[in-house]
Amino acid sequence: MRRGLAAVGRSADTAVTAFTDGCPGLRSILTEAGVTERPIADWFHIAMRLQHAKLAATGLSTDEPVRVQAKAAIIAEVERLRWRIWNGKAKSAKISLDRVGKVLHAFRGERGHRRRGVPSRKLWHALHEVNDYLRGQEAKLVNYAERYRAGLRVGTSVTEGTANFLINRRMNKAQQMRWSRRGADLLLQVRSDICNRAFEPEVGNIVEPILADASQVALAA
């Protein structure tokens, strides 16, 4: 990590911001790399959990008038929950959970698809996952809207999205030359060894051109 930061121009006066998905060992790794500021909870991972809750809410049944009203209220509350977290009011998340709980009883006895499960139960689990995640990351939450307006990063969506895209392209069943899990793992080990210069000096002429693109390095944890 030190080499990566140095390669992209880090100096003694450079302010480094780290984002975390909740990894417990990240703080010690950052300290070893000379990053002393507390990491920020990655908005990408928060938004991903909120999206799960939103999809579960939109899947609620509307077979009765009372459920139509309850579904509309729940969807609005899930959107309000997102607004609260985005604007640094994550401590108010329990308010949204309580409001959803008050109308969720309208879906009691709701039937679900054999494979997809009961939508109301999925929603409740998704909301509790959001709540538990926020409680675990409470010290790392910030006002994301304020950072965004100031032109500062709020997460690692570009890095995460690119990684997910590449992995999906290489491991999707529809690909004729798709990677196996073992093959992907071995390839990652080789790439890590190349970045760590483990093959030098045997293949130094190959390693140097690869490391020359270090300006494109994006660190995420």
Side-chain angles (χ1 to χ4, degrees):
M1 188 180 290
R2 283 182 181 275
R3 284 197 298 268
L5 290 171
V8 295
R10 180 194 183 188
S11 66
D13 299 326
T14 302
V16 179
T17 302
F19 294 93
T20 178
D21 63 353
C23 174
L26 177 63
R27 196 63 187 272
S28 60
I29 295 173
L30 292 174
T31 301
E32 287 291 329
V35 182
T36 58
E37 294 295 326
R38 184 189 299 273
I40 296 174
D42 192 344
W43 176 254
F44 174 84
H45 293 277
I46 298 174
M48 183 173 60
R49 287 169 170 80
L50 290 171
Q51 182 66 12
H52 291 164
K54 181 179 179 179
L55 290 175
T58 56
L60 292 171
S61 174
T62 55
D63 57 350
E64 298 177 10
V66 65
R67 287 181 174 176
V68 173
Q69 296 180 357
K71 179 178 179 177
I74 289 172
I75 290 176
E77 200 57 49
V78 171
E79 287 295 333
R80 192 171 292 114
L81 174 61
R82 183 186 183 92
W83 182 90
R84 286 193 172 106
I85 302 171
W86 176 252
N87 287 277
K89 304 178 184 296
K91 291 183 178 180
S92 302
K94 193 175 184 303
I95 297 176
S96 293
L97 284 174
D98 291 341
R99 289 178 177 174
V100 170
K102 289 179 180 179
V103 295
L104 198 61
H105 64 84
F107 298 94
R108 186 172 299 168
E110 179 188 27
R111 294 184 178 181
H113 191 277
R114 184 172 58 181
R115 294 183 178 180
R116 299 177 184 175
V118 180
S120 56
R121 191 176 302 162
K122 290 177 62 178
L123 171 64
W124 194 242
H125 285 314
L127 288 175
H128 272 283
E129 183 180 351
V130 171
N131 187 52
D132 292 344
Y133 186 77
L134 294 177
R135 290 175 61 184
Q137 303 300 310
E138 185 176 3
K140 304 180 185 72
L141 297 171
V142 298
N143 189 323
Y144 296 95
E146 190 176 79
R147 286 184 60 85
Y148 183 79
R149 287 192 296 268
L152 302 174
R153 290 188 180 277
V154 295
T156 60
S157 58
V158 175
T159 304
E160 297 277 1
T162 301
N164 289 340
F165 171 76
L166 292 175
I167 291 174
N168 184 63
R169 282 290 300 273
R170 292 300 184 182
M171 300 190 72
N172 192 298
K173 290 184 178 180
Q175 297 294 322
Q176 293 182 349
M177 298 293 290
R178 72 188 184 101
W179 290 343
S180 65
R181 285 183 175 272
R182 174 172 170 74
D185 180 61
L186 292 174
L187 179 61
L188 288 173
Q189 290 184 49
V190 172
R191 294 287 293 179
S192 296
D193 286 341
I194 289 175
C195 290
N196 292 328
R197 301 176 182 271
F199 296 136
E200 293 187 352
E202 290 83 356
V203 290
N205 293 333
I206 299 176
V207 173
E208 288 300 331
I210 295 175
L211 296 179
D213 293 331
S215 60
Q216 303 299 321
V217 170
L219 300 177

